Amino acid sequence: MTVKMILERKGYDVFSAAPETTLGDAVAALAKHKIGAIVIVDDKKAIKGILSERDVVRAIAADGADVLWRPVSEIMTIKVSVCTEKHTVNQVMEMMTRGRFRHLPVEKDGRLHGLVSIGDVVKLRIEEVERESQEIRSYIATA
C-alpha cells in the first residue's frame, strides 16, 4: 500500500495558505474545515511550512491572543517532513511516529500535491488487516 493509494481514495485537495496569512485567519480555516493542519505554500505551491493545532497552542501560550494578528510565517513549523506518492504506508507511519506529527504533506515536482493524516494511514491499515483476516478465513474454510 502506498501514499498514492491513499490519495486516490480520499482525494488530492489540501487546505493551504500563503505565508502572510494571519494566524487568526488560519485558525478560522482550521475550525471551518474541521482540520488539524494547513500547509503553507508560496505562489508556485512550493511548501514553505505547516501550521498545526500544536503550533497555534504554543504561540498563544507564549504570546497571548495578540499573536492572532501575526503572519503564519512567524508561527508555522518551517522544517517540514514530506513524502511522495511512492512512499509506503509503513514508511509514512514510521516518519509520523519518529517525528511525532499527524500530518504529512505529499510533494511532487517540488510542489504540494496532497496531504496524508494519521487518520488516513490508520484507516488504510485497518482495511488491510480486515482484508487479510477475511482471506485467511476463506482459506481455512476451503481447506
Side-chain angles (χ1 to χ4, degrees), residues 23 50-51 55-56 59 67 70-78:
L23 182 59
I50 190 165
L51 180 75
D55 295 321
V56 174
V67 76
R70 291 172 43 196
V72 292
S73 60
E74 294 179 16
I75 292 103
M76 67 186 185
T77 298
I78 296 170

Side-chain angles (χ1 to χ4, degrees), residues 7-127:
L7 293 177
E8 286 174 346
R9 289 180 180 188
K10 75 173 248 179
Y12 290 84
D13 292 337
V14 182
F15 291 100
S16 62
E20 62 272 9
T21 303
T22 66
L23 182 59
D25 287 343
V27 167
L30 289 170
K32 177 182 178 183
H33 301 291
K34 299 178 182 169
I35 55 175
I38 295 178
V39 183
I40 309 305
V41 297
D42 65 14
D43 57 345
K44 294 180 179 155
K45 294 291 184 189
I47 299 168
K48 297 300 175 186
I50 190 165
L51 180 75
S52 70
E53 294 166 321
R54 288 180 188 169
D55 295 321
V56 174
V57 169
R58 287 182 188 127
I60 292 172
D63 298 327
D66 287 341
V67 76
L68 294 172
W69 299 107
R70 291 172 43 196
V72 292
S73 60
E74 294 179 16
I75 292 103
M76 67 186 185
T77 298
I78 296 170
K79 187 178 179 188
V80 182
S81 294
V82 298
C83 67
T84 68
E85 287 185 316
K86 294 178 183 178
H87 277 90
T88 67
V89 171
N90 288 342
Q91 289 171 319
V92 168
M93 285 181 357
E94 182 190 335
M95 292 170 74
M96 289 178 163
T97 301
R98 189 174 4 100
R100 299 183 59 158
F101 48 81
R102 299 178 306 221
H103 300 88
L104 189 60
V106 181
E107 194 174 53
K108 184 175 183 178
D109 300 325
R111 298 174 48 160
L112 177 63
H113 186 62
L115 184 72
V116 176
S117 72
I118 192 68
D120 300 328
V121 172
V122 168
K123 180 179 177 185
L124 189 66
R125 285 292 292 142
I126 289 171
E127 290 172 3

